[in-house]
Amino acid sequence: MIRKSFFRFSAIVASFFLITQTNLASTDHEPPFLVQAVRSGELPPMSDRLPQNPRIMEIKKQDMQTGKYGGTLRMLMGKEKDIRRMVVFGYSRLVGFDRDLQLTADILESYEVYEGREFIFRLRKGHRWSDGKPFTSDDFRFYWEDVANNDELFPFGPPNTFRVEGELPIVEFPDELTVVYRWSRPNPHFLIELASPRPLFIYMPRHYLESYHPKYGDREALDEQAKSRGSRNWSGFFLKKARQYKLTNPELPSLQPWVNTTSPPAERYIFKRNPFFHRVDENRLQLPYIDQVQINIVSSSLIPAKAGAGESDLQGHYLRLDNFTFLKEGEQRNGYDVLLWKTLNGAHKALYPNLNSRDEVWRNLVRNVRFRRALSLAVNRREINQVIYYGLANESSNTVLPDSIFYGNEMQRWARYDLQEANALLDSIGLEERNDRGLRLMSDGRPLEVIIHTAGESTEETDILELIHDSLLKIGIKVYTKPSQREVFRDRIFSGDVMMSVWTGLENALPTAEISPGELAPTRQDQYQWSRWGQYHETGGEVGEEPDLPKVRQLYNLYRQWSEITDAQQRQKIWSEMLQIYTDEVFNIGIVNAVPQPIVINDKLKNIPVKGLYAWFPTSYFGIYSPDTFWFDE
């Protein structure tokens, strides 16, 4: 049973906030962008648009300035599907990371967690979707009962985040402002997934989507409607209409700060302010400050030049460190500033020997830790840093950053440049014999020629591999580079046809004990050093292979232990132990990390941190810095 005392306490707290926030909710500071719609009656006044207890963004405490309304923020993207980045940047979440990378309530008014297995969510009274309809627990019920547990929409059942050892939660909706999820064992991934760049959407606007669902209409009529719109049946059409992340349906109500108004395909997308957004500043101005975001779709190769010409007000995507000098030259002429933020990957680029290769001879070789260590010792990271990154990066294995509480110097043991030890290690595993070109011979007599696959998206990777080619040749290994499109690249790895690949390292090199160490164990198919083992975990053993390397099994068992406990100290201990194993075994070969990321900002755009962290997870690129608080000083 849900604790009745908690609900009595929640009612008292809600009453308190209702009293103390009355002035806030009833004070009008209308954005000029919406004034006409309010006067005409198309929109209610702000006092009726805000929740009774909106989220107050404490801007001044972040050493920022409270702003003023207005303006259009221009951004450049290289593909139409990049408009989904507006969900990443907007970063409106049930719970989200703050600037200290701690979880806090956002869309939710509050939440409680008991024993890591029971989650009680409280919604904000009066919160509305972007079309003005109430946002209530019924939107959670609709998702859970009519979508996630509908066999035609989710043939394999709800997403894996809802499963703990195969068990789905008990989900309850005590009232219109309360939602409860309860498992018999801890689910440490639940809140993290809700706060992620691509969040787990556990709610949907029922009032809009129910008209496309056969539970609320005629199935045959819905199927006919779907076919007339190019879908096979009602379920395909429903999913097209319900894409909260892809943003391809401008009619879909949203809780994000800006709402898409443009139907694809298009070369320019306009996102307009959500008049019912739930955040305000200390001056009782409803956020976002900026009225519109304009995304222009251009060739990705042109984005650095266009950003340098002042055609973007906020740009990080498609910019690289080697664009920095060019961008700096245009600062004064074109009215922008160039900042350098720290990236958070454990490795900006890393080599991934395929431990699940179908080539038995190669597979046995790369499963030998001495071979992997030799490869790492033969990479001249200093040369790569100086030539490619101007000496500004951190030469490192694929691990956490020195700022991390888990960092230790021993994690760099195999990241030094030592050709003598590398050659000795290769000799020790029986690779002494060489051909007339000086290449070492594998056990079947083949020369040690390694094809490294890339996704073909960056000349940066090619430049790095050219330098690695030269250093590995000194230990008798010949490297070839094979670029391909990302989909082909991934499929070849998954099928075991790739010897080695290059990709980014750990997503988050500044983890806390509460963030899953799943990246250090085989938990996902897209871990390119052991995709078959990761697939085995993802599918509950239905597809893929069970890990059979002892150290990999140890990592997986430690990950399982972390998932089952809630004590912070024990979790921290497991994190440290996993990192020690991961780096000592050199399951992949990091090259550099903390590569500075150029950020171009209009010099009139305010509240952008001079020093920031730029990463997919956990910062959602600009997301944790609350772009709804950015404003133009004009």
Side-chain angles (χ1 to χ4, degrees):
M1 291 292 291
I2 299 172
R3 297 162 178 76
K4 294 182 180 179
S5 60
F6 169 77
F7 291 114
R8 287 196 295 270
F9 172 75
S10 299
I12 294 170
V13 170
S15 299
F16 170 78
F17 276 113
L18 178 60
I19 294 170
T20 58
Q21 297 298 331
T22 297
N23 291 336
L24 174 61
S26 62
T27 302
D28 257 354
H29 293 281
E30 290 289 356
F33 189 79
L34 302 178
V35 165
Q36 186 56 44
V38 173
R39 288 175 177 170
S40 67
E42 182 182 345
L43 281 177
M46 185 189 299
S47 57
D48 294 333
R49 297 200 308 270
L50 287 170
Q52 284 190 4
N53 179 30
R55 182 182 179 189
I56 302 175
M57 303 298 287
E58 297 179 326
I59 295 172
K60 294 177 182 177
K61 284 188 177 181
Q62 301 289 344
D63 293 324
M64 301 188 301
Q65 301 170 295
T66 51
K68 56 185 177 182
Y69 293 131
T72 296
L73 180 76
R74 299 167 302 157
M75 303 180 76
L76 300 168
M77 292 294 171
K79 301 183 286 282
E80 275 196 271
K81 69 178 184 180
D82 285 341
I83 61 171
R84 67 186 69 179
R85 291 288 182 255
M86 285 300 294
V87 174
V88 183
F89 299 159
Y91 204 59
S92 178
R93 302 291 187 268
L94 293 173
V95 296
F97 291 107
D98 61 19
R99 294 191 180 201
D100 297 320
L101 302 183
Q102 300 298 313
L103 288 175
T104 186
D106 178 22
I107 292 174
L108 295 179
E109 181 173 287
S110 64
Y111 66 96
E112 297 289 335
V113 181
Y114 296 98
E115 300 176 346
R117 63 181 184 82
E118 182 176 333
F119 301 80
I120 301 176
F121 294 163
R122 291 285 297 177
L123 309 184
R124 298 179 188 273
K125 187 173 184 179
H127 192 180
R128 299 171 183 269
W129 291 93
S130 57
D131 62 356
K133 301 298 183 182
F135 172 63
T136 70
S137 61
D138 207 35
D139 297 306
F140 291 77
R141 182 198 302 272
F142 177 73
Y143 168 79
W144 181 249
E145 295 180 355
D146 300 332
V147 179
N149 281 284
N150 183 290
D151 292 341
E152 294 175 83
L153 294 172
F154 281 77
F156 301 103
N160 283 337
T161 304
F162 286 109
R163 299 183 185 276
V164 177
E165 298 297 320
E167 173 197 0
L168 289 174
I170 295 172
V171 186
E172 298 173 338
F173 314 92
D175 56 57
E176 67 173 12
L177 297 179
T178 309
V179 186
V180 180
Y181 298 84
R182 187 185 302 110
W183 289 265
S184 63
R185 304 173 70 172
N187 186 345
H189 309 289
F190 191 40
L191 294 183
I192 300 298
E193 287 297 315
L194 299 180
S196 294
R198 181 173 184 168
L200 175 66
F201 285 103
I202 61 175
Y203 53 85
M204 284 183 170
R206 172 180 172 172
H207 67 277
Y208 172 77
L209 289 171
E210 66 181 9
S211 61
Y212 302 102
H213 197 293
K215 180 177 177 179
Y216 305 94
D218 182 86
R219 176 183 292 269
E220 291 185 6
L222 288 172
D223 281 339
E224 287 300 319
Q225 180 187 28
K227 290 175 183 177
S228 69
R229 303 289 182 88
S231 296
R232 180 177 299 179
N233 52 33
W234 77 268
S235 60
F237 191 55
F238 179 93
L239 292 174
K240 284 182 180 180
K241 287 289 187 180
R243 290 170 174 166
Q244 296 185 86
Y245 178 68
K246 292 187 176 181
L247 300 179
T248 51
N249 177 15
E251 298 176 353
L252 184 67
S254 174
L255 300 178
Q256 297 297 313
W258 295 277
V259 181
N260 182 28
T261 63
T262 308
S263 296
E267 296 181 353
R268 174 176 296 173
Y269 287 83
I270 301 296
F271 288 76
K272 295 185 178 181
R273 65 181 307 128
N274 176 357
F276 296 90
F277 194 54
H278 66 286
R279 300 179 193 164
V280 297
D281 72 3
E282 295 102 323
N283 293 334
R284 303 172 183 176
L285 297 184
Q286 184 184 26
L287 300 171
Y289 290 125
I290 293 172
D291 291 326
Q292 296 186 135
V293 178
Q294 175 183 302
I295 294 182
N296 295 315
I297 310 299
V298 300
S299 170
S300 59
S301 62
L302 296 178
I303 288 179
K306 286 182 171 290
E311 295 183 27
S312 177
D313 299 310
L314 179 63
Q315 196 69 40
H317 270 54
Y318 298 100
L319 301 183
R320 297 190 336 213
L321 184 58
D322 57 5
N323 303 134
F324 179 70
T325 302
F326 162 75
L327 293 170
K328 287 293 287 185
E329 291 173 352
E331 276 186 326
Q332 293 186 352
R333 181 174 63 253
N334 293 314
Y336 62 79
D337 296 315
V338 185
L339 307 176
L340 287 177
W341 284 10
K342 181 188 290 187
T343 53
L344 281 189
N345 290 109
H348 187 65
K349 299 293 178 184
L351 300 178
Y352 287 82
N354 190 355
L355 304 178
N356 297 151
S357 170
R358 291 199 297 181
D359 184 330
E360 183 178 357
V361 174
W362 170 255
R363 183 175 68 246
N364 290 336
L365 185 58
V366 295
R367 289 190 180 191
N368 189 318
V369 67
R370 287 178 289 176
F371 180 73
R372 300 193 301 272
R373 288 169 177 170
L375 290 178
S376 185
L377 290 169
V379 173
N380 191 340
R381 293 171 177 81
R382 176 64 56 85
E383 179 184 47
I384 292 170
N385 189 14
Q386 295 297 325
V387 173
I388 308 291
Y389 302 109
Y390 313 105
L392 298 175
N394 179 39
E395 296 148 24
S396 174
S397 60
N398 181 20
T399 188
V400 294
L401 296 175
D403 296 340
S404 171
I405 59 172
F406 301 117
Y407 183 79
N409 290 329
E410 69 278 0
M411 295 174 184
Q412 304 299 346
R413 179 182 179 188
W414 306 109
R416 67 189 190 280
Y417 184 50
D418 191 334
L419 291 179
Q420 183 176 352
E421 185 172 356
N423 275 306
L425 285 170
L426 294 178
D427 290 343
S428 72
I429 58 177
L431 293 174
E432 303 100 326
E433 191 174 350
R434 301 185 185 228
N435 65 10
D436 55 4
R437 292 184 294 154
L439 298 183
R440 294 177 183 271
L441 301 181
M442 294 192 289
S443 60
D444 61 353
R446 283 182 294 163
L448 235 176
E449 297 176 312
V450 181
I451 300 174
I452 302 181
H453 288 247
T454 80
E457 297 174 351
S458 170
T459 58
E460 179 183 6
E461 293 176 350
T462 306
D463 294 340
I464 291 171
L465 291 176
E466 284 184 7
L467 295 174
I468 289 177
H469 166 276
D470 296 343
S471 59
L472 290 188
L473 200 57
K474 296 176 182 177
I475 60 170
I477 299 175
K478 176 78 171 178
V479 165
Y480 299 92
T481 301
K482 186 177 181 61
S484 57
Q485 293 183 341
R486 184 182 294 199
E487 291 75 14
V488 177
F489 166 80
R490 290 163 59 93
D491 289 344
R492 285 176 175 166
I493 295 172
F494 298 160
S495 66
D497 293 330
V498 169
M499 300 175 75
M500 192 181 299
S501 59
V502 61
W503 195 247
T504 53
L506 300 174
E507 282 184 353
N508 178 19
L510 279 179
T512 65
E514 301 307 308
I515 290 177
S516 169
E519 284 194 276
L520 306 177
T523 56
R524 302 198 318 256
Q525 186 182 22
D526 62 359
Q527 295 168 320
Y528 296 147
Q529 74 272 40
W530 49 42
S531 61
R532 294 283 293 169
W533 295 338
Q535 186 184 39
Y536 184 86
H537 170 79
E538 278 192 314
T539 62
E542 294 184 9
V543 185
E545 301 170 5
E546 187 174 5
D548 55 0
L549 270 185
K551 289 294 184 180
V552 177
R553 292 179 67 90
Q554 186 179 357
L555 283 174
Y556 185 71
N557 290 335
L558 285 168
Y559 162 74
R560 294 285 298 272
Q561 289 177 34
W562 178 93
S563 301
E564 294 170 358
I565 61 176
T566 58
D567 181 78
Q569 288 187 336
Q570 291 183 37
R571 282 184 163 182
Q572 186 168 326
K573 182 179 179 182
I574 289 174
W575 250 107
S576 296
E577 186 176 354
M578 291 182 71
L579 275 169
Q580 294 294 333
I581 297 170
Y582 190 81
T583 53
D584 191 52
E585 290 291 311
V586 197
F587 289 119
N588 44 60
I589 300 162
I591 300 167
V592 296
N593 58 23
V595 173
Q597 169 65 46
I599 306 292
V600 170
I601 63 167
N602 186 314
D603 57 16
K604 295 179 180 178
L605 188 61
K606 303 303 178 183
N607 286 350
I608 313 289
V610 174
K611 294 182 179 180
L613 302 175
Y614 193 77
W616 167 254
F617 179 84
T619 64
S620 295
Y621 300 119
F622 302 116
I624 65 165
Y625 301 108
S626 304
D628 54 299
T629 66
F630 299 170
W631 59 283
F632 286 105
D633 186 13
E634 294 185 280

